[in-house]
Amino acid sequence: MVLQPSERHHRDRSHRRLGPWCSPSGSPAPLSCETGCGEGSWILVCRLLVPTQVSLLSMEEDIDTRKINNSFLRDHSYATEADIISTVEFNHTGELLATGDKGGRVVIFQREQESKNQVHRRGEYNVYSTFQSHEPEFDYLKSLEIEEKINKIRWLPQQNAAYFLLSTNDKTVKLWKVSERDKRPEGYNLKDEEGRLRDPATITTLRVPVLRPMDLMVEATPRRVFANAHTYHINSISVNSDYETYMSADDLRINLWNFEITNQSFNIVDIKPANMEELTEVITAAEFHPHHCNSFVYSSSKGTIRLCDMRASALCDRHSKFFEEPEDPSNRSFFSEIISSISDVKFSHSGRYIMTRDYLTVKVWDLNMENRPIETYQVHDYLRSKLCSLYENDCIFDKFECVWNGSDSVIMTGSYNNFFRMFDRNTKRDVTLEASRENSKPRAILKPRKVCVGGKRRKDEISVDSLDFSKKILHTAWHPSENIIAVAATNNLYIFQDKVN
């Protein structure tokens, strides 16, 4: 039987590992960075629920969205499979934060403006707009259901008063325009105030339409639909630095699109073999260089990264640089190929480095050094002895994402038990924090957590055998210029900020 790429990837997912970087004492160390993370004191700004009911709200109504969110926090029976957050993304200014879920909905949160009386509430985010981006579909030719789940969201830089974002499910990418309207035209000549057509015989005077104030309404309208270009599931979309093109990547191909052209795309990478039996790897993630519009990278299920230059050839099957770390034969095991698969790849803001996430580690690569990463951070090395059970419950195939802070000095990624990890590249210190309902009081300070592998367990430690693998932080986002982070845990969205902010 020939495995389809998505199925083969599910089996062959792999992640690679290297030596640990932790604090000298072995315990979670305080975090500090150039942008002022202080001594690692992060506080909860707000916790938001993204349930189905929120999507029914009309922004025209006079509703306190904060009260609505807090009321849902008390009863988690509202959460369904469709409410699970599947992607999180700040816009380029950090004023807006978009989430996509498995139900095909996009919920946009807006940062609250600072007030003289309540300066500390500057970091709070409240519901700004919510709309149904994708609907479930059925491919009659292949007899396959196409999920409505939002795989990725990418913002475009703001050029005018409106906002634009790309959202994608497994097959279709859509360009959405999100705009505000607080005035409406009145005084039409051919229509009455209710919008009905007037009898031309009754029109005796010419009126000039005027704009009247109205309650603020946020509208989300689809401007472009990019469909029918991917045979396999889309796993990545990335906006080019020329802001005229973007790319979408699936298991075997990467397509280049122009924002103004929806009926055709240009295939720039194709790794599909002539005989599918010879398929050995699939594409897992792809991203454009932040400054050079001709360069992009993509990662594979074999733990490799390829840097391509579109100036070299139209079809970028031949890479410009190939990043791979030689495997230590002594660490070879049945799970080596599975845990070496790269689940996420991100350029640094400077464009000098690449960050990759595999199952056990986060690695930072210098574009000028291909043979090994310059930094390797152990995310949850204590799970190495649990790989067999993680394979049986399919957790070993989880796709964790990773993000940079605004100055590229700190990186963040998720783990299990609603833990997420931060690594300071300058001091080589790390910290483990938890996004949990128990610690969800506003302005509550997060306490570092530590996992105990064996022996005596201290009071503030948690045993590796007590970890809840159903609670996982797969999706995170970092504010582009401030120490504000968004962490998605199931259907909850946690917003944290550094205490010194």
Side-chain angles (χ1 to χ4, degrees):
M1 182 182 72
V2 179
L3 286 178
Q4 292 299 318
S6 55
E7 299 172 321
R8 186 183 292 268
H9 184 205
H10 186 70
R11 287 206 193 166
D12 295 346
R13 272 204 59 180
S14 32
H15 286 113
R16 211 173 292 248
R17 62 247 186 192
L18 224 168
W21 266 352
C22 57
S23 60
S25 63
S27 60
L31 189 72
S32 62
C33 72
E34 299 169 356
T35 52
C37 286
E39 288 301 315
S41 297
W42 288 80
I43 58 177
L44 176 69
V45 177
C46 54
R47 181 165 70 96
L48 303 164
L49 205 62
V50 190
T52 306
Q53 284 79 357
V54 172
S55 66
L56 301 179
L57 297 177
S58 169
M59 302 308 292
E60 295 181 85
E61 300 175 10
D62 185 16
I63 295 177
D64 187 348
T65 53
R66 190 182 304 104
K67 291 180 181 178
I68 293 173
N69 277 289
N70 288 338
S71 67
F72 281 122
L73 293 178
R74 302 189 190 99
D75 188 355
H76 284 259
S77 62
Y78 287 106
T80 64
E81 179 74 14
D83 300 324
I84 297 176
I85 299 174
S86 55
T87 184
V88 183
E89 189 79 9
F90 279 103
N91 73 338
H92 290 72
T93 63
E95 292 301 306
L96 297 181
L97 174 64
T99 66
D101 61 28
K102 289 189 174 181
R105 297 180 300 270
V106 172
V107 180
I108 301 175
F109 299 91
Q110 184 180 45
R111 193 178 186 186
E112 196 167 274
Q113 296 300 313
E114 185 175 352
S115 64
K116 294 181 180 179
N117 299 329
Q118 297 173 311
V119 179
H120 66 279
R121 282 177 52 180
R122 172 71 175 97
E124 286 194 9
Y125 285 78
N126 293 306
V127 175
Y128 176 69
S129 177
T130 166
F131 56 92
Q132 188 73 30
S133 175
H134 288 72
E135 300 281 357
E137 301 175 32
F138 189 80
D139 188 334
Y140 293 96
L141 293 177
K142 298 182 179 179
S143 296
L144 292 175
E145 291 184 0
I146 302 174
E147 290 183 331
E148 66 272 34
K149 172 190 169 186
I150 306 298
N151 293 337
K152 294 290 180 182
I153 289 175
R154 290 291 180 264
W155 290 92
L156 277 67
Q158 189 176 5
Q159 305 292 340
N160 49 41
Y163 302 96
F164 289 86
L165 62 85
L166 287 171
S167 64
T168 183
N169 65 350
D170 287 340
K171 299 291 184 182
T172 305
V173 183
K174 294 184 180 181
L175 175 65
W176 290 88
K177 177 184 178 181
V178 181
S179 56
E180 297 181 355
R181 187 150 60 93
D182 59 358
K183 293 181 176 64
R184 64 167 176 263
E186 291 183 359
Y188 287 109
N189 288 281
L190 301 180
K191 294 181 181 178
D192 58 20
E193 300 306 325
E194 282 73 33
R196 296 187 296 259
L197 289 175
R198 299 171 61 188
D199 183 0
T202 64
I203 302 175
T204 58
T205 59
L206 179 65
R207 295 191 295 177
V208 178
V210 294
L211 293 175
R212 302 291 186 191
M214 60 175 285
D215 293 335
L216 177 65
M217 182 173 65
V218 181
E219 296 177 315
T221 54
R223 299 304 301 270
R224 305 281 190 277
V225 177
F226 307 89
N228 305 319
H230 286 276
T231 305
Y232 307 102
H233 294 173
I234 299 173
N235 54 51
S236 302
I237 51 176
S238 180
V239 180
N240 200 348
S241 58
D242 62 9
Y243 306 130
E244 295 181 359
T245 58
Y246 78 92
M247 69 177 176
S248 57
D250 64 23
D251 293 338
L252 297 180
R253 296 185 179 97
I254 300 177
N255 293 332
L256 181 68
W257 299 83
N258 187 294
F259 280 110
E260 302 299 324
I261 303 173
T262 61
N263 59 354
Q264 63 180 359
S265 62
F266 191 81
N267 180 229
I268 54 177
V269 173
D270 188 348
I271 65 170
K272 181 180 180 181
N275 182 3
M276 288 294 285
E277 292 287 350
E278 300 173 0
L279 182 65
T280 59
E281 63 179 338
V282 296
I283 298 170
T284 56
E287 186 177 64
F288 268 118
H289 191 281
H291 310 303
H292 304 316
C293 61
N294 55 281
S295 300
F296 67 93
V297 294
Y298 68 93
S299 57
S300 81
S301 56
K302 277 192 170 182
T304 61
I305 310 107
R306 292 171 174 86
L307 176 68
C308 299
D309 190 338
M310 292 190 291
R311 296 173 301 182
S313 63
L315 188 61
C316 300
D317 285 347
R318 293 184 180 180
H319 48 266
S320 300
K321 292 190 176 184
F322 183 78
F323 301 86
E324 184 180 25
E325 181 182 17
E327 184 180 12
D328 185 354
S330 62
N331 287 334
R332 181 72 183 175
S333 70
F334 172 79
F335 303 106
S336 294
E337 290 187 2
I338 300 176
I339 63 175
S340 66
S341 174
I342 295 174
S343 57
D344 195 18
V345 59
K346 293 280 177 60
F347 270 106
S348 63
H349 295 87
S350 66
R352 171 71 184 274
Y353 304 102
I354 302 172
M355 174 170 57
T356 60
R357 171 68 205 264
D358 55 41
Y359 191 66
L360 295 178
T361 67
V362 173
K363 298 175 182 178
V364 177
W365 304 75
D366 191 317
L367 287 184
N368 297 325
M369 190 167 68
E370 304 173 46
N371 59 342
R372 62 183 177 88
I374 60 172
E375 301 165 17
T376 300
Y377 303 95
Q378 297 290 343
V379 178
H380 38 217
D381 196 54
Y382 46 80
L383 296 181
R384 198 178 295 275
S385 61
K386 302 286 185 181
L387 293 180
C388 186
S389 58
L390 291 168
Y391 179 81
E392 292 175 353
N393 62 19
D394 277 351
C395 285
I396 201 171
F397 303 111
D398 287 332
K399 297 180 180 180
F400 292 95
E401 298 176 0
C402 52
V403 292
W404 302 86
N405 74 333
S407 64
D408 299 332
S409 60
V410 181
I411 58 181
M412 175 175 62
T413 190
S415 183
Y416 293 104
N417 207 70
N418 278 358
F419 288 168
F420 58 98
R421 302 268 283 145
M422 291 183 178
F423 302 93
D424 191 314
R425 299 180 59 213
N426 297 326
T427 64
K428 302 301 183 284
R429 293 176 173 178
D430 64 85
V431 65
T432 301
L433 302 173
E434 181 182 8
S436 66
R437 284 181 291 158
E438 290 72 19
N439 301 324
S440 61
K441 293 182 179 179
R443 322 308 296 177
I445 299 178
L446 294 183
K447 295 181 179 179
R449 303 300 304 270
K450 181 174 173 58
V451 178
C452 175
V453 178
K456 286 189 176 182
R457 181 171 63 89
R458 296 179 182 178
K459 183 180 179 180
D460 58 342
E461 293 179 341
I462 181 172
S463 171
V464 67
D465 297 320
S466 303
L467 296 176
D468 188 346
F469 294 104
S470 64
K471 297 179 180 179
K472 57 194 77 172
I473 303 296
L474 301 177
H475 314 288
T476 58
W478 202 307
H479 191 286
S481 58
E482 299 181 34
N483 282 324
I484 298 177
I485 58 176
V487 177
T490 318
N491 65 318
N492 293 282
L493 181 67
Y494 294 85
I495 311 291
F496 302 102
Q497 74 177 29
D498 186 25
K499 187 178 179 181
V500 299
N501 276 6

